[in-house]
Amino acid sequence: MAFWQKLFYGASVAYELGRAFILLVVALLIVHYFLATIFVISGPSMESNFHDKEIMLVSRINLFTNKFTRGEPMVLKFPGDPKRKKYIKRLIGLPGDTVELRSGQIWLNGRQLPEGYLDKGMPTTPAQNGQTIWTLGRNQYFLVGDNRLNSADSRDWGIAERSDMLGPVKMIIFPPSRFQFVPVPPY
């Protein structure tokens, strides 16, 4: 092979590899922003159902359908620092709901919320500011951690807006011993 042929062949291979790389990056960005993303749990606020350092698959599709299901674990931007912090909390209150903390339990629209996913006897502590009742407006949500004694959530930082939501957790993907789909509790 002549020098020019080798050079042309090398440039052709580099072009094809570069093109494939760019297409892969574009495809991954589309998946990340429109279909699903990865989230790593930081902290104990969702124990005993989810644990520190577990890696989750988060659906982004619900952001476009506006269909969130009560009881789903949700990843959201922390309303006090939306550019940096991301939390996982359980979606309790939907737009139009009234959420009340009464006798160590959550009451939703006048009925005690059945929370079979919590450890037995897990109390709900009141908000730090003493607030015990919230009425949710349009595009507003109430989220709490499963580890109520060790969770900063809507009881503390207030109602989350729809724009704070990143999507529901659909699967635990790491560690392998915990690989599973995440069930949504029936209410």
Side-chain angles (χ1 to χ4, degrees):
M1 228 189 231
F3 171 76
W4 295 110
Q5 288 175 320
K6 288 179 186 178
L7 183 64
F8 179 72
Y9 177 74
S12 177
V13 168
Y15 170 79
E16 289 300 323
L17 287 174
R19 185 173 149 219
F21 177 76
I22 290 171
L23 289 174
L24 177 64
V25 168
V26 168
L28 289 174
L29 287 172
I30 289 171
V31 168
H32 173 73
Y33 285 106
F34 299 107
L35 298 176
T37 191
I38 301 296
F39 176 74
V40 179
I41 293 181
S42 176
S45 73
M46 289 296 285
E47 289 180 356
S48 65
N49 295 303
F50 305 100
H51 305 284
D52 191 37
K53 308 274 189 279
E54 284 184 336
I55 299 174
M56 309 286 159
L57 181 68
V58 178
S59 172
R60 305 277 288 179
I61 295 171
N62 298 61
L63 296 176
F64 306 105
T65 64
N66 281 329
K67 292 186 180 183
F68 298 117
T69 303
R70 187 184 326 280
E72 282 184 309
M74 297 288 293
V75 174
L76 68 149
K77 297 181 268 186
F78 173 53
D81 189 9
K83 292 193 189 285
R84 294 203 170 94
K85 292 187 180 175
K86 311 284 187 284
Y87 283 175
I88 177 174
K89 303 294 175 194
R90 193 165 302 271
L91 179 59
I92 299 296
L94 300 171
D97 286 343
T98 298
V99 179
E100 185 177 1
L101 304 179
R102 187 189 320 166
S103 303
Q105 302 298 315
I106 293 181
W107 289 66
L108 185 65
N109 301 322
R111 299 178 69 190
Q112 185 175 350
L113 188 66
E115 297 187 283
Y117 47 83
L118 294 180
D119 287 342
K120 297 270 187 248
M122 175 65 69
T124 294
T125 59
Q128 290 178 2
N129 65 5
Q131 185 171 356
T132 60
I133 189 164
W134 295 261
T135 300
L136 307 180
R138 186 172 182 237
N139 295 320
Q140 293 185 327
Y141 300 87
F142 194 88
L143 300 106
V144 293
D146 290 353
N147 184 355
R148 303 290 161 78
L149 298 177
N150 195 7
S151 176
D153 50 42
S154 287
R155 297 170 298 160
D156 302 312
W157 37 257
I159 295 168
E161 299 291 330
R162 190 211 167 285
S163 60
D164 297 324
M165 305 296 216
L166 295 176
V169 173
K170 296 298 183 183
M171 181 182 285
I172 299 171
I173 57 177
F174 187 83
S177 62
R178 296 264 299 146
F179 184 83
Q180 63 183 311
F181 285 100
V182 174
V184 177
Y187 285 127

